[in-house]
Each structure stands twice: as C-alpha cells, then as structure tokens.
PDB file of all heavy atoms in Angstrom:
ATOM      1  N   VAL A  27     -57.947  36.826  51.114  1.00 83.00           N
ATOM      2  CA  VAL A  27     -56.794  36.642  50.226  1.00 83.00           C
ATOM      3  C   VAL A  27     -56.766  37.751  49.179  1.00 83.00           C
ATOM      4  O   VAL A  27     -57.662  37.861  48.351  1.00 83.00           O
ATOM      5  CB  VAL A  27     -56.842  35.262  49.537  1.00 83.00           C
ATOM      6  CG1 VAL A  27     -55.625  35.090  48.629  1.00 83.00           C
ATOM      7  CG2 VAL A  27     -56.882  34.154  50.576  1.00 83.00           C
ATOM      8  N   THR A  28     -55.739  38.587  49.238  1.00 83.00           N
ATOM      9  CA  THR A  28     -55.529  39.658  48.264  1.00 83.00           C
ATOM     10  C   THR A  28     -54.115  39.536  47.697  1.00 83.00           C
ATOM     11  O   THR A  28     -53.278  38.788  48.225  1.00 83.00           O
ATOM     12  CB  THR A  28     -55.704  41.032  48.922  1.00 83.00           C
ATOM     13  OG1 THR A  28     -54.700  41.195  49.948  1.00 83.00           O
ATOM     14  CG2 THR A  28     -57.090  41.166  49.541  1.00 83.00           C
ATOM     15  N   LYS A  29     -53.843  40.286  46.637  1.00 83.00           N
ATOM     16  CA  LYS A  29     -52.511  40.247  46.049  1.00 83.00           C
ATOM     17  C   LYS A  29     -51.464  40.763  47.029  1.00 83.00           C
ATOM     18  O   LYS A  29     -50.352  40.222  47.115  1.00 83.00           O
ATOM     19  CB  LYS A  29     -52.486  41.082  44.765  1.00 83.00           C
ATOM     20  CG  LYS A  29     -53.269  40.479  43.620  1.00 83.00           C
ATOM     21  CD  LYS A  29     -53.155  41.330  42.375  1.00 83.00           C
ATOM     22  CE  LYS A  29     -53.974  40.737  41.223  1.00 83.00           C
ATOM     23  NZ  LYS A  29     -53.890  41.578  39.987  1.00 83.00           N
ATOM     24  N   THR A  30     -51.832  41.798  47.791  1.00 86.00           N
ATOM     25  CA  THR A  30     -50.883  42.355  48.761  1.00 86.00           C
ATOM     26  C   THR A  30     -50.541  41.337  49.839  1.00 86.00           C
ATOM     27  O   THR A  30     -49.368  41.131  50.176  1.00 86.00           O
ATOM     28  CB  THR A  30     -51.476  43.615  49.414  1.00 86.00           C
ATOM     29  OG1 THR A  30     -51.769  44.581  48.395  1.00 86.00           O
ATOM     30  CG2 THR A  30     -50.487  44.218  50.409  1.00 86.00           C
ATOM     31  N   ARG A  31     -51.565  40.670  50.371  1.00 88.00           N
ATOM     32  CA  ARG A  31     -51.329  39.659  51.403  1.00 88.00           C
ATOM     33  C   ARG A  31     -50.592  38.452  50.845  1.00 88.00           C
ATOM     34  O   ARG A  31     -49.800  37.819  51.550  1.00 88.00           O
ATOM     35  CB  ARG A  31     -52.656  39.237  52.021  1.00 88.00           C
ATOM     36  CG  ARG A  31     -53.271  40.318  52.910  1.00 88.00           C
ATOM     37  CD  ARG A  31     -54.633  39.930  53.419  1.00 88.00           C
ATOM     38  NE  ARG A  31     -55.193  40.978  54.277  1.00 88.00           N
ATOM     39  CZ  ARG A  31     -56.421  40.974  54.753  1.00 88.00           C
ATOM     40  NH1 ARG A  31     -57.253  39.960  54.463  1.00 88.00           N
ATOM     41  NH2 ARG A  31     -56.854  41.957  55.528  1.00 88.00           N
ATOM     42  N   THR A  32     -50.839  38.138  49.590  1.00 88.00           N
ATOM     43  CA  THR A  32     -50.096  37.045  48.955  1.00 88.00           C
ATOM     44  C   THR A  32     -48.610  37.383  48.858  1.00 88.00           C
ATOM     45  O   THR A  32     -47.746  36.543  49.142  1.00 88.00           O
ATOM     46  CB  THR A  32     -50.656  36.769  47.556  1.00 88.00           C
ATOM     47  OG1 THR A  32     -52.039  36.420  47.647  1.00 88.00           O
ATOM     48  CG2 THR A  32     -49.897  35.631  46.879  1.00 88.00           C
ATOM     49  N   LYS A  33     -48.304  38.626  48.493  1.00 90.00           N
ATOM     50  CA  LYS A  33     -46.904  39.055  48.409  1.00 90.00           C
ATOM     51  C   LYS A  33     -46.253  39.065  49.786  1.00 90.00           C
ATOM     52  O   LYS A  33     -45.080  38.693  49.931  1.00 90.00           O
ATOM     53  CB  LYS A  33     -46.823  40.437  47.766  1.00 90.00           C
ATOM     54  CG  LYS A  33     -47.227  40.455  46.295  1.00 90.00           C
ATOM     55  CD  LYS A  33     -47.236  41.865  45.734  1.00 90.00           C
ATOM     56  CE  LYS A  33     -47.686  41.863  44.274  1.00 90.00           C
ATOM     57  NZ  LYS A  33     -47.760  43.240  43.702  1.00 90.00           N
ATOM     58  N   VAL A  34     -47.015  39.470  50.808  1.00 93.00           N
ATOM     59  CA  VAL A  34     -46.496  39.440  52.177  1.00 93.00           C
ATOM     60  C   VAL A  34     -46.213  38.001  52.600  1.00 93.00           C
ATOM     61  O   VAL A  34     -45.170  37.708  53.207  1.00 93.00           O
ATOM     62  CB  VAL A  34     -47.487  40.107  53.157  1.00 93.00           C
ATOM     63  CG1 VAL A  34     -47.054  39.871  54.600  1.00 93.00           C
ATOM     64  CG2 VAL A  34     -47.596  41.597  52.874  1.00 93.00           C
ATOM     65  N   CYS A  35     -47.123  37.093  52.264  1.00 93.00           N
ATOM     66  CA  CYS A  35     -46.942  35.674  52.593  1.00 93.00           C
ATOM     67  C   CYS A  35     -45.685  35.115  51.925  1.00 93.00           C
ATOM     68  O   CYS A  35     -44.898  34.398  52.554  1.00 93.00           O
ATOM     69  CB  CYS A  35     -48.179  34.893  52.159  1.00 93.00           C
ATOM     70  SG  CYS A  35     -48.066  33.098  52.445  1.00 93.00           S
ATOM     71  N   LEU A  36     -45.471  35.456  50.665  1.00 93.00           N
ATOM     72  CA  LEU A  36     -44.280  34.995  49.959  1.00 93.00           C
ATOM     73  C   LEU A  36     -43.014  35.567  50.584  1.00 93.00           C
ATOM     74  O   LEU A  36     -42.005  34.861  50.722  1.00 93.00           O
ATOM     75  CB  LEU A  36     -44.364  35.394  48.482  1.00 93.00           C
ATOM     76  CG  LEU A  36     -45.383  34.622  47.641  1.00 93.00           C
ATOM     77  CD1 LEU A  36     -45.590  35.302  46.292  1.00 93.00           C
ATOM     78  CD2 LEU A  36     -44.930  33.184  47.436  1.00 93.00           C
ATOM     79  N   SER A  37     -43.066  36.827  50.978  1.00 94.00           N
ATOM     80  CA  SER A  37     -41.904  37.446  51.627  1.00 94.00           C
ATOM     81  C   SER A  37     -41.578  36.752  52.940  1.00 94.00           C
ATOM     82  O   SER A  37     -40.402  36.528  53.258  1.00 94.00           O
ATOM     83  CB  SER A  37     -42.175  38.938  51.871  1.00 94.00           C
ATOM     84  OG  SER A  37     -42.421  39.623  50.657  1.00 94.00           O
ATOM     85  N   VAL A  38     -42.617  36.412  53.708  1.00 95.00           N
ATOM     86  CA  VAL A  38     -42.410  35.705  54.978  1.00 95.00           C
ATOM     87  C   VAL A  38     -41.797  34.331  54.730  1.00 95.00           C
ATOM     88  O   VAL A  38     -40.897  33.892  55.461  1.00 95.00           O
ATOM     89  CB  VAL A  38     -43.744  35.577  55.743  1.00 95.00           C
ATOM     90  CG1 VAL A  38     -43.600  34.641  56.938  1.00 95.00           C
ATOM     91  CG2 VAL A  38     -44.227  36.954  56.203  1.00 95.00           C
ATOM     92  N   ILE A  39     -42.253  33.643  53.685  1.00 95.00           N
ATOM     93  CA  ILE A  39     -41.701  32.322  53.362  1.00 95.00           C
ATOM     94  C   ILE A  39     -40.225  32.425  53.010  1.00 95.00           C
ATOM     95  O   ILE A  39     -39.388  31.652  53.522  1.00 95.00           O
ATOM     96  CB  ILE A  39     -42.495  31.691  52.207  1.00 95.00           C
ATOM     97  CG1 ILE A  39     -43.885  31.256  52.691  1.00 95.00           C
ATOM     98  CG2 ILE A  39     -41.746  30.494  51.615  1.00 95.00           C
ATOM     99  CD1 ILE A  39     -44.797  30.776  51.593  1.00 95.00           C
ATOM    100  N   TRP A  40     -39.881  33.365  52.141  1.00 94.00           N
ATOM    101  CA  TRP A  40     -38.473  33.536  51.753  1.00 94.00           C
ATOM    102  C   TRP A  40     -37.620  33.913  52.957  1.00 94.00           C
ATOM    103  O   TRP A  40     -36.504  33.419  53.116  1.00 94.00           O
ATOM    104  CB  TRP A  40     -38.351  34.588  50.655  1.00 94.00           C
ATOM    105  CG  TRP A  40     -38.803  34.121  49.315  1.00 94.00           C
ATOM    106  CD1 TRP A  40     -38.624  32.879  48.771  1.00 94.00           C
ATOM    107  CD2 TRP A  40     -39.530  34.877  48.334  1.00 94.00           C
ATOM    108  NE1 TRP A  40     -39.187  32.825  47.520  1.00 94.00           N
ATOM    109  CE2 TRP A  40     -39.744  34.018  47.216  1.00 94.00           C
ATOM    110  CE3 TRP A  40     -40.014  36.178  48.274  1.00 94.00           C
ATOM    111  CZ2 TRP A  40     -40.420  34.438  46.070  1.00 94.00           C
ATOM    112  CZ3 TRP A  40     -40.684  36.601  47.125  1.00 94.00           C
ATOM    113  CH2 TRP A  40     -40.881  35.735  46.043  1.00 94.00           C
ATOM    114  N   LEU A  41     -38.154  34.785  53.824  1.00 95.00           N
ATOM    115  CA  LEU A  41     -37.403  35.209  55.001  1.00 95.00           C
ATOM    116  C   LEU A  41     -37.223  34.054  55.984  1.00 95.00           C
ATOM    117  O   LEU A  41     -36.147  33.891  56.575  1.00 95.00           O
ATOM    118  CB  LEU A  41     -38.134  36.373  55.685  1.00 95.00           C
ATOM    119  CG  LEU A  41     -37.436  36.999  56.903  1.00 95.00           C
ATOM    120  CD1 LEU A  41     -36.081  37.554  56.503  1.00 95.00           C
ATOM    121  CD2 LEU A  41     -38.301  38.101  57.506  1.00 95.00           C
ATOM    122  N   ALA A  42     -38.260  33.232  56.162  1.00 94.00           N
ATOM    123  CA  ALA A  42     -38.164  32.082  57.060  1.00 94.00           C
ATOM    124  C   ALA A  42     -37.126  31.083  56.557  1.00 94.00           C
ATOM    125  O   ALA A  42     -36.305  30.572  57.334  1.00 94.00           O
ATOM    126  CB  ALA A  42     -39.533  31.411  57.192  1.00 94.00           C
ATOM    127  N   ALA A  43     -37.154  30.783  55.250  1.00 94.00           N
ATOM    128  CA  ALA A  43     -36.173  29.850  54.683  1.00 94.00           C
ATOM    129  C   ALA A  43     -34.756  30.405  54.792  1.00 94.00           C
ATOM    130  O   ALA A  43     -33.808  29.667  55.092  1.00 94.00           O
ATOM    131  CB  ALA A  43     -36.514  29.562  53.220  1.00 94.00           C
ATOM    132  N   LEU A  44     -34.611  31.711  54.581  1.00 95.00           N
ATOM    133  CA  LEU A  44     -33.289  32.335  54.706  1.00 95.00           C
ATOM    134  C   LEU A  44     -32.800  32.284  56.143  1.00 95.00           C
ATOM    135  O   LEU A  44     -31.606  32.039  56.395  1.00 95.00           O
ATOM    136  CB  LEU A  44     -33.357  33.786  54.221  1.00 95.00           C
ATOM    137  CG  LEU A  44     -32.049  34.585  54.255  1.00 95.00           C
ATOM    138  CD1 LEU A  44     -31.005  33.937  53.353  1.00 95.00           C
ATOM    139  CD2 LEU A  44     -32.280  36.037  53.852  1.00 95.00           C
ATOM    140  N   SER A  45     -33.702  32.478  57.094  1.00 94.00           N
ATOM    141  CA  SER A  45     -33.325  32.429  58.512  1.00 94.00           C
ATOM    142  C   SER A  45     -32.815  31.036  58.893  1.00 94.00           C
ATOM    143  O   SER A  45     -31.814  30.910  59.614  1.00 94.00           O
ATOM    144  CB  SER A  45     -34.521  32.813  59.391  1.00 94.00           C
ATOM    145  OG  SER A  45     -34.966  34.130  59.100  1.00 94.00           O
ATOM    146  N   VAL A  46     -33.493  30.000  58.395  1.00 94.00           N
ATOM    147  CA  VAL A  46     -33.040  28.636  58.679  1.00 94.00           C
ATOM    148  C   VAL A  46     -31.678  28.380  58.038  1.00 94.00           C
ATOM    149  O   VAL A  46     -30.785  27.781  58.648  1.00 94.00           O
ATOM    150  CB  VAL A  46     -34.074  27.610  58.175  1.00 94.00           C
ATOM    151  CG1 VAL A  46     -33.552  26.186  58.345  1.00 94.00           C
ATOM    152  CG2 VAL A  46     -35.399  27.775  58.915  1.00 94.00           C
ATOM    153  N   ALA A  47     -31.502  28.840  56.793  1.00 93.00           N
ATOM    154  CA  ALA A  47     -30.237  28.619  56.085  1.00 93.00           C
ATOM    155  C   ALA A  47     -29.066  29.321  56.768  1.00 93.00           C
ATOM    156  O   ALA A  47     -27.923  28.863  56.674  1.00 93.00           O
ATOM    157  CB  ALA A  47     -30.363  29.093  54.643  1.00 93.00           C
ATOM    158  N   LEU A  48     -29.341  30.430  57.463  1.00 93.00           N
ATOM    159  CA  LEU A  48     -28.268  31.199  58.101  1.00 93.00           C
ATOM    160  C   LEU A  48     -27.982  30.766  59.533  1.00 93.00           C
ATOM    161  O   LEU A  48     -27.126  31.367  60.192  1.00 93.00           O
ATOM    162  CB  LEU A  48     -28.636  32.696  58.085  1.00 93.00           C
ATOM    163  CG  LEU A  48     -28.650  33.379  56.719  1.00 93.00           C
ATOM    164  CD1 LEU A  48     -29.090  34.830  56.858  1.00 93.00           C
ATOM    165  CD2 LEU A  48     -27.281  33.308  56.042  1.00 93.00           C
ATOM    166  N   LEU A  49     -28.674  29.761  60.037  1.00 91.00           N
ATOM    167  CA  LEU A  49     -28.470  29.322  61.417  1.00 91.00           C
ATOM    168  C   LEU A  49     -27.020  28.933  61.730  1.00 91.00           C
ATOM    169  O   LEU A  49     -26.535  29.205  62.838  1.00 91.00           O
ATOM    170  CB  LEU A  49     -29.411  28.153  61.736  1.00 91.00           C
ATOM    171  CG  LEU A  49     -30.872  28.525  62.007  1.00 91.00           C
ATOM    172  CD1 LEU A  49     -31.694  27.278  62.271  1.00 91.00           C
ATOM    173  CD2 LEU A  49     -30.982  29.493  63.173  1.00 91.00           C
ATOM    174  N   PRO A  50     -26.271  28.277  60.805  1.00 89.00           N
ATOM    175  CA  PRO A  50     -24.865  27.976  61.112  1.00 89.00           C
ATOM    176  C   PRO A  50     -24.024  29.215  61.392  1.00 89.00           C
ATOM    177  O   PRO A  50     -22.990  29.104  62.074  1.00 89.00           O
ATOM    178  CB  PRO A  50     -24.383  27.253  59.850  1.00 89.00           C
ATOM    179  CG  PRO A  50     -25.612  26.603  59.315  1.00 89.00           C
ATOM    180  CD  PRO A  50     -26.702  27.595  59.564  1.00 89.00           C
ATOM    181  N   CYS A  51     -24.440  30.376  60.882  1.00 88.00           N
ATOM    182  CA  CYS A  51     -23.712  31.615  61.193  1.00 88.00           C
ATOM    183  C   CYS A  51     -23.823  31.960  62.673  1.00 88.00           C
ATOM    184  O   CYS A  51     -23.008  32.732  63.199  1.00 88.00           O
ATOM    185  CB  CYS A  51     -24.243  32.768  60.350  1.00 88.00           C
ATOM    186  SG  CYS A  51     -24.003  32.555  58.572  1.00 88.00           S
ATOM    187  N   PHE A  52     -24.841  31.418  63.344  1.00 87.00           N
ATOM    188  CA  PHE A  52     -25.042  31.652  64.778  1.00 87.00           C
ATOM    189  C   PHE A  52     -24.720  30.396  65.594  1.00 87.00           C
ATOM    190  O   PHE A  52     -25.255  30.201  66.687  1.00 87.00           O
ATOM    191  CB  PHE A  52     -26.490  32.084  65.017  1.00 87.00           C
ATOM    192  CG  PHE A  52     -26.882  33.327  64.250  1.00 87.00           C
ATOM    193  CD1 PHE A  52     -27.556  33.222  63.035  1.00 87.00           C
ATOM    194  CD2 PHE A  52     -26.557  34.585  64.724  1.00 87.00           C
ATOM    195  CE1 PHE A  52     -27.912  34.357  62.312  1.00 87.00           C
ATOM    196  CE2 PHE A  52     -26.903  35.723  64.014  1.00 87.00           C
ATOM    197  CZ  PHE A  52     -27.580  35.617  62.811  1.00 87.00           C
ATOM    198  N   GLN A  53     -23.849  29.562  65.020  1.00 85.00           N
ATOM    199  CA  GLN A  53     -23.352  28.360  65.702  1.00 85.00           C
ATOM    200  C   GLN A  53     -24.440  27.328  65.975  1.00 85.00           C
ATOM    201  O   GLN A  53     -24.313  26.518  66.890  1.00 85.00           O
ATOM    202  CB  GLN A  53     -22.656  28.739  67.016  1.00 85.00           C
ATOM    203  CG  GLN A  53     -21.583  29.795  66.879  1.00 85.00           C
ATOM    204  CD  GLN A  53     -20.503  29.401  65.865  1.00 85.00           C
ATOM    205  OE1 GLN A  53     -20.046  28.278  65.865  1.00 85.00           O
ATOM    206  NE2 GLN A  53     -20.100  30.343  65.009  1.00 85.00           N
ATOM    207  N   VAL A  54     -25.522  27.360  65.207  1.00 85.00           N
ATOM    208  CA  VAL A  54     -26.564  26.338  65.311  1.00 85.00           C
ATOM    209  C   VAL A  54     -26.432  25.434  64.090  1.00 85.00           C
ATOM    210  O   VAL A  54     -26.914  25.750  63.011  1.00 85.00           O
ATOM    211  CB  VAL A  54     -27.974  26.957  65.367  1.00 85.00           C
ATOM    212  CG1 VAL A  54     -29.034  25.849  65.465  1.00 85.00           C
ATOM    213  CG2 VAL A  54     -28.098  27.912  66.543  1.00 85.00           C
ATOM    214  N   GLY A  55     -25.759  24.316  64.250  1.00 82.00           N
ATOM    215  CA  GLY A  55     -25.515  23.430  63.123  1.00 82.00           C
ATOM    216  C   GLY A  55     -24.324  23.893  62.308  1.00 82.00           C
ATOM    217  O   GLY A  55     -23.703  24.934  62.579  1.00 82.00           O
ATOM    218  N   SER A  56     -23.994  23.121  61.293  1.00 84.00           N
ATOM    219  CA  SER A  56     -22.864  23.453  60.424  1.00 84.00           C
ATOM    220  C   SER A  56     -23.035  22.769  59.075  1.00 84.00           C
ATOM    221  O   SER A  56     -23.757  21.779  58.945  1.00 84.00           O
ATOM    222  CB  SER A  56     -21.542  23.018  61.065  1.00 84.00           C
ATOM    223  OG  SER A  56     -21.526  21.614  61.266  1.00 84.00           O
ATOM    224  N   TYR A  57     -22.354  23.320  58.084  1.00 88.00           N
ATOM    225  CA  TYR A  57     -22.311  22.730  56.745  1.00 88.00           C
ATOM    226  C   TYR A  57     -20.932  22.120  56.537  1.00 88.00           C
ATOM    227  O   TYR A  57     -19.921  22.655  56.999  1.00 88.00           O
ATOM    228  CB  TYR A  57     -22.567  23.778  55.665  1.00 88.00           C
ATOM    229  CG  TYR A  57     -23.917  24.443  55.755  1.00 88.00           C
ATOM    230  CD1 TYR A  57     -24.027  25.816  55.945  1.00 88.00           C
ATOM    231  CD2 TYR A  57     -25.090  23.700  55.637  1.00 88.00           C
ATOM    232  CE1 TYR A  57     -25.266  26.429  56.013  1.00 88.00           C
ATOM    233  CE2 TYR A  57     -26.334  24.303  55.702  1.00 88.00           C
ATOM    234  CZ  TYR A  57     -26.415  25.677  55.896  1.00 88.00           C
ATOM    235  OH  TYR A  57     -27.643  26.270  55.975  1.00 88.00           O
ATOM    236  N   THR A  58     -20.899  21.008  55.827  1.00 86.00           N
ATOM    237  CA  THR A  58     -19.621  20.363  55.541  1.00 86.00           C
ATOM    238  C   THR A  58     -19.689  19.703  54.168  1.00 86.00           C
ATOM    239  O   THR A  58     -20.779  19.441  53.646  1.00 86.00           O
ATOM    240  CB  THR A  58     -19.288  19.314  56.611  1.00 86.00           C
ATOM    241  OG1 THR A  58     -17.967  18.805  56.370  1.00 86.00           O
ATOM    242  CG2 THR A  58     -20.268  18.156  56.568  1.00 86.00           C
TER     243      THR A  58
END
C-alpha cells in the first residue's frame, strides 16, 4: 500500500461508479 497505489485505487473506484451510472446511455436500464 503506497500513496500512488491508493490514488490509482480511488481513480478505479470513481471510474467504475461512473461506468455504472452511464449504462442507460448504452440502453442498459433507464432513469425516470
């Protein structure tokens, strides 16, 4: 565990959450 790897881990988390949130843009689910 280093600061660099911690920052990479946080970036992956934000990117994963963003990918899930954008799924309706690819016709997977929808918001209403």
Side-chain angles (χ1 to χ4, degrees):
V27 181
T28 63
K29 290 182 181 179
T30 301
R31 288 175 180 173
T32 301
K33 293 175 182 178
V34 171
C35 178
L36 288 168
S37 300
V38 170
I39 288 173
W40 286 322
L41 183 60
L44 181 61
S45 300
V46 175
L48 291 177
L49 283 179
C51 297
F52 302 97
Q53 308 304 316
V54 180
S56 61
Y57 299 119
T58 186

